[in-house]
Amino acid sequence: MSRINAGEQIVVGLNKWTEGLPSPLTAGDDGGIFKVDEQGGGGDHRVTGATPARPVTLPARTRRWRRSKQAARDGSNLMEPSIECALARVTTGEWAGALREVFGEYRPATGIEGQQLGLTGDRVELLRAARSTRWPTKHRATGRGMVVGKPGLDGHSNGAEVIAVSARHVGFDVIYSGIRLSPDEIVQSAVEEGADVIGASVLSGSHLDLAKQILDGLREQGADEDIAVVFGGIIPPADARELESMGIKKVFTPADYELMDVMESIVEVLEAR
């Protein structure tokens, strides 16, 4: 990332030859993302495919879920019971929960300790000055800057970690605890550390639900006036507007790849508060 940021390693479309025609895949207000109707569904959950549709009963679903769990315990190949779980409409959360009970949960190293991106220059120095002199944190003696959070089951952490390291370059005190955090855990971390802003990275498509949970959590803690929330991820324009109407102060998408532009936008959010 340091070499890409410095222009030493060329990435077409990112740091060289960035002009291009708009993609027809992302044309329209939905950003090319398929969305499930939250009011739809119902019925008897039929399985369709090469065989005739057949109803899946709850006992059958439960039996297959338990079989997957037993296979994990005795070391059997998990592929066949996993496919049965999918056909029985066992959810990803139920399936993963069964495996966690057997194997525990792996949390990889965050990868930001000691990392550098080589961000230098006048823009960096101006933001560092803003961090130390202009941000309105006098009402909290423990103001620490930014909590970067990865809520939900999204396992893609590179973007969040680049933002976390960039924020440190420009003077933020950054708290980052890795991936698969609950909204409540992110809110609690921000409140306990006296953070100025939560930066949530969501690539799973569940940004609307997770934003609501984070904002509700801040209100319950009485911290919604003290802590701003910004979001980044694969977020269509219509969803970005909805997030902002909910109270998210800034929404970043893959089009916002200039790190200093992102940092300046976050500082502007804080100064506006």
Side-chain angles (χ1 to χ4, degrees), residues 182-265:
S182 72
D184 286 344
E185 288 172 325
I186 293 171
V187 167
Q188 192 62 37
S189 176
V191 171
E192 290 178 354
E193 297 290 351
D196 299 291
V197 59
I198 292 172
S201 171
V202 181
L203 297 171
S204 63
S206 53
H207 38 266
L208 294 176
D209 290 329
L210 292 169
K212 182 179 185 303
Q213 292 175 48
I214 289 174
L215 293 170
D216 287 347
L218 288 173
R219 278 190 286 270
E220 290 171 6
Q221 296 271 4
D224 53 310
E225 295 296 325
D226 295 333
I227 302 174
V229 183
V230 300
F231 257 61
I234 310 298
I235 302 173
D239 286 1
R241 291 192 292 271
E242 187 170 348
L243 286 171
E244 290 168 350
S245 70
M246 292 166 58
I248 301 302
K249 298 302 180 184
K250 188 73 177 179
V251 176
F252 301 100
T253 71
D256 302 298
Y257 56 82
E258 289 287 353
L259 295 176
M260 293 309 302
D261 290 348
V262 173
M263 294 299 108
E264 288 174 350
S265 294

Side-chain angles (χ1 to χ4, degrees), residues 6-272:
E8 297 169 5
Q9 179 174 326
I10 294 174
V11 178
V12 175
L14 179 64
N15 59 7
K16 193 166 186 179
W17 299 301
T18 57
E19 299 81 8
L21 297 175
S23 170
L25 297 177
T26 58
D29 216 29
D30 61 1
I33 295 178
F34 174 78
K35 299 173 71 173
V36 176
D37 181 4
E38 293 182 5
Q39 305 302 319
D44 58 5
H45 295 289
R46 294 184 179 274
V47 179
T48 58
T51 58
R54 63 187 186 277
V56 177
T57 65
L58 186 59
R61 172 175 166 170
T62 304
R63 283 196 302 272
R64 293 171 190 177
W65 173 79
R66 287 175 177 165
R67 186 179 170 199
S68 177
K69 190 171 180 179
Q70 183 58 44
R73 283 179 172 151
D74 62 27
S76 300
N77 189 316
L78 287 171
M79 183 58 69
E80 185 176 339
S82 295
I83 292 172
E84 289 190 23
C85 282
L87 292 174
R89 296 296 192 262
V90 174
T91 69
T92 302
E94 290 168 336
W95 178 84
L99 299 187
R100 283 194 189 93
E101 288 184 30
V102 178
F103 297 117
E105 184 176 42
Y106 172 66
R107 284 184 177 268
T110 64
I112 68 170
E113 294 302 325
Q115 297 298 317
Q116 299 289 324
L117 285 172
L119 298 176
T120 59
D122 292 343
R123 296 174 76 186
V124 174
E125 295 305 319
L126 284 171
L127 289 178
R128 286 177 179 164
R131 170 66 182 90
S132 61
T133 63
R134 300 205 306 270
W135 293 358
T137 58
K138 60 184 178 181
H139 57 291
R140 295 191 312 287
T142 58
R144 289 286 306 278
M146 179 188 295
V147 167
V148 176
K150 287 288 300 179
L153 295 176
D154 173 12
H156 300 278
S157 61
N158 186 64
E161 290 167 9
V162 168
I163 292 299
V165 175
S166 301
R168 285 185 174 176
H169 271 289
V170 302
F172 280 95
D173 294 318
V174 177
I175 300 95
Y176 174 67
S177 301
I179 61 176
R180 301 192 184 101
L181 299 175
S182 72
D184 286 344
E185 288 172 325
I186 293 171
V187 167
Q188 192 62 37
S189 176
V191 171
E192 290 178 354
E193 297 290 351
D196 299 291
V197 59
I198 292 172
S201 171
V202 181
L203 297 171
S204 63
S206 53
H207 38 266
L208 294 176
D209 290 329
L210 292 169
K212 182 179 185 303
Q213 292 175 48
I214 289 174
L215 293 170
D216 287 347
L218 288 173
R219 278 190 286 270
E220 290 171 6
Q221 296 271 4
D224 53 310
E225 295 296 325
D226 295 333
I227 302 174
V229 183
V230 300
F231 257 61
I234 310 298
I235 302 173
D239 286 1
R241 291 192 292 271
E242 187 170 348
L243 286 171
E244 290 168 350
S245 70
M246 292 166 58
I248 301 302
K249 298 302 180 184
K250 188 73 177 179
V251 176
F252 301 100
T253 71
D256 302 298
Y257 56 82
E258 289 287 353
L259 295 176
M260 293 309 302
D261 290 348
V262 173
M263 294 299 108
E264 288 174 350
S265 294
I266 294 173
V267 171
E268 289 171 2
V269 165
L270 295 176
E271 290 186 334

